[in-house]
Amino acid sequence: MCSLRIKFLMTKSLKLVQVERSFAEKHYEDLSSKPFFAGLVEYIVSGPVVAMVWEGKGVVLTGRKIIGATKPAEANPGTIRGDYAIDVGRNVIHGSDSVESAHKEIALWFPDGVVEWHSSLHPWINE
C-alpha cells in the first residue's frame, strides 16, 4: 500500500495526536444530528490518531480509492477499509470527500500549516 500511495500522493504533513472531545465534535459537526454521532466521537477520542495531509493530482479521488468504500463490507480488498475495517461505526480511517472539505479539515487539524517541500523525485513523478 505504501508504494502505491507514494507513486500518486505525497505526504505534506503528519502528526500523532490524542483528540479532545470538543475537537472531535467540531470535526464531525456536520454529522451531529445523526444517531451514530456520539459513538463516532467516543471512538475517535478513545486512542491516538495519526493525522495526515496528502498532496497530488486528483488527491481526493485517489485517496478515497486507497481508503475504500465507507461501508467496510463494500470496500475492495487491498483498500485500507477492505483490509482493516469490519464495522462502519469503527471508522479506521477518514478521508475528505471534496477539495473544499479537505481545506476545512486541514485548517482544523493543522492550524500552523503544512510542511512546504518537494521531494527530489517530484519532477520524475509529475509532468
Side-chain angles (χ1 to χ4, degrees):
M1 186 63 67
C2 188
S3 62
L4 175 65
R5 180 185 57 78
I6 289 177
K7 188 172 184 180
F8 295 105
L9 307 173
M10 299 300 288
T11 302
K12 290 291 282 186
S13 286
L14 179 141
K15 65 181 177 179
L16 180 69
V17 295
Q18 182 66 47
V19 179
E20 298 291 329
R21 186 170 304 280
S22 60
F23 185 91
E25 290 170 349
K26 184 172 177 95
H27 174 74
Y28 288 122
E29 67 187 351
D30 60 322
L31 301 173
S32 62
S33 64
K34 303 288 186 184
F36 56 83
F37 176 74
L40 194 57
V41 168
E42 194 62 37
Y43 183 65
I44 198 171
V45 302
S46 68
V49 170
V50 176
M52 297 176 74
V53 177
W54 292 345
E55 171 183 78
K57 292 180 183 176
V59 66
V60 173
L61 179 62
T62 302
R64 292 185 69 79
K65 285 181 181 178
I66 292 168
I67 289 168
T70 302
K71 295 179 181 175
E74 297 172 6
N76 290 327
T79 64
I80 295 169
R81 288 185 179 133
D83 289 352
Y84 301 107
I86 297 171
D87 292 317
V88 73
R90 295 296 181 251
N91 191 10
V92 297
I93 189 165
H94 168 81
S96 301
D97 59 2
S98 68
V99 173
E100 295 76 23
S101 293
H103 287 300
K104 179 182 170 190
E105 292 171 358
I106 291 167
L108 180 65
W109 286 86
F110 294 87
D112 296 329
V114 298
V115 176
E116 293 298 332
W117 74 283
H118 283 285
S119 164
S120 61
L121 296 175
H122 187 82
W124 292 97
I125 296 170
N126 298 285
E127 291 183 296

